[in-house]
Amino acid sequence: MKDVTAFILNNLQIVIAVVLFFVGWYFGRANEHKHLAKLDEDEKLLAHIIISNERFYMPITQTDGQLVMGSVSVAQDRFKLVFADFLSLFGRNLTVYENLLERARREAVVRMKRLAQSHGYNQIYGIRIETSSIDAGGVEVLAYGTAVMSETNPKVSPRLP
């Protein structure tokens, strides 16, 4: 027991760094799961809005089109940054960045759909998604498209509370 205590006291900075590393991993993972659950819920609520990436598609509309956008900036937690550096040493796929990009794109599309719903539209076409990196561990995603009230979409957007 004295050996363990002596080891901890002699290497206190390393022990604190390891503890903080795992605390960061735990809270980063919890926040990511919470965000993904909220995205699932929002995507179900906004599923009635049809989206399409066809640029020249001309739906039969009841209204003029309006540009709608959704943007988001998402940062990567420190644990995953260190893990990505470790994976890159061995030439592995950086799956931690793939998950970050997927989360950011989904959030940007949900925000765009929310804006379309607030204006009473039920279809968005000509969607484009722009992605750029921020600093050394985050991404910014902008999703935009033309929102219309389409007659071909039988699903009518519910009234906002």
Side-chain angles (χ1 to χ4, degrees), residues 42-151:
D42 288 347
E43 287 173 342
K44 285 179 186 172
L45 286 173
L46 298 168
H48 64 280
I49 297 176
I50 296 174
I51 60 173
S52 167
N53 62 359
E54 299 173 30
R55 177 177 285 189
F56 300 109
Y57 175 69
M58 295 297 293
I60 301 170
T61 62
Q62 299 172 344
T63 61
D64 290 335
Q66 181 180 353
L67 176 69
V68 289
M69 299 186 274
S71 67
V72 65
S73 297
V74 180
Q76 190 72 283
D77 61 66
R78 293 287 175 204
F79 173 80
K80 289 188 176 181
L81 287 174
V82 172
F83 189 66
D85 288 342
F86 180 75
L87 288 176
S88 68
L89 285 175
F90 299 103
R92 305 289 305 242
N93 286 343
L94 301 179
T95 54
V96 292
Y97 287 120
E98 292 169 3
N99 293 339
L100 176 72
L101 281 173
E102 179 188 339
R103 262 181 44 209
R105 288 180 182 150
R106 288 176 61 192
E107 180 67 34
V109 169
V110 162
R111 289 181 182 189
M112 178 182 65
K113 281 182 160 185
R114 261 195 228 128
L115 182 62
Q117 183 185 22
S118 70
H119 292 291
Y121 299 119
N122 65 358
Q123 187 166 355
I124 305 170
Y125 67 97
I127 290 179
R128 296 291 178 265
I129 297 176
E130 304 288 335
T131 305
S132 61
S133 64
I134 298 174
D135 202 8
V139 293
E140 179 181 14
V141 176
L142 170 68
Y144 59 95
T146 303
V148 294
M149 183 62 180
S150 174
E151 293 177 4

Side-chain angles (χ1 to χ4, degrees), residues 145-161:
T146 303
V148 294
M149 183 62 180
S150 174
E151 293 177 4
T152 56
N153 181 1
K155 299 174 184 170
V156 178
S157 61
R159 292 273 179 217
L160 292 174

